[in-house]
Amino acid sequence: MDHFFVRLIPNGFYEYEESETLPAHDLILRPLLTSAKECYVYGLNKDTELFHQCTDILSFTRNKYQLDLKKEVIRGYERLWNATGWQRGSILIF
């Protein structure tokens, strides 16, 4: 199985708001999610504000949350994609 990592924020770039729309959202994430079969978020704590902001696009399955790819999961959810400081774990797109 092949895999790769996508970094939305360039190394050394720290001056942005977590709720900010970034060019990588539409240039990288949207095409990946459009062709994805599934997308999972690992390490998201259900006691956080970030989780509560995303409950309408997430469903719990085993030890992770599945994103509902039939819904808009980028616009309005920028904080999920831009989260720093261990607010969430990894996001895997299949």
Side-chain angles (χ1 to χ4, degrees), residues 9-73:
I9 312 301
N11 280 334
F13 184 75
Y14 299 106
E15 298 296 320
Y16 71 96
E17 294 293 323
E18 286 187 350
S19 59
E20 186 176 346
T21 299
L22 301 173
H25 292 162
D26 284 326
L27 295 173
I28 296 169
L29 278 177
R30 192 158 307 279
L32 287 172
L33 292 171
T34 298
S35 63
K37 293 182 181 172
E38 299 173 326
C39 183
Y40 297 98
V41 181
Y42 289 83
L44 184 58
N45 185 331
K46 66 180 180 177
D47 297 326
T48 63
E49 182 182 337
L50 177 59
F51 171 80
H52 291 287
Q53 292 174 347
C54 300
T55 56
D56 57 328
I57 60 167
L58 296 171
S59 60
F60 187 74
T61 176
R62 295 191 165 191
N63 62 342
K64 59 194 175 287
Y65 293 93
Q66 184 171 11
L67 276 173
D68 184 348
L69 296 178
K70 293 177 183 164
K71 296 181 178 179
E72 171 60 52
V73 296

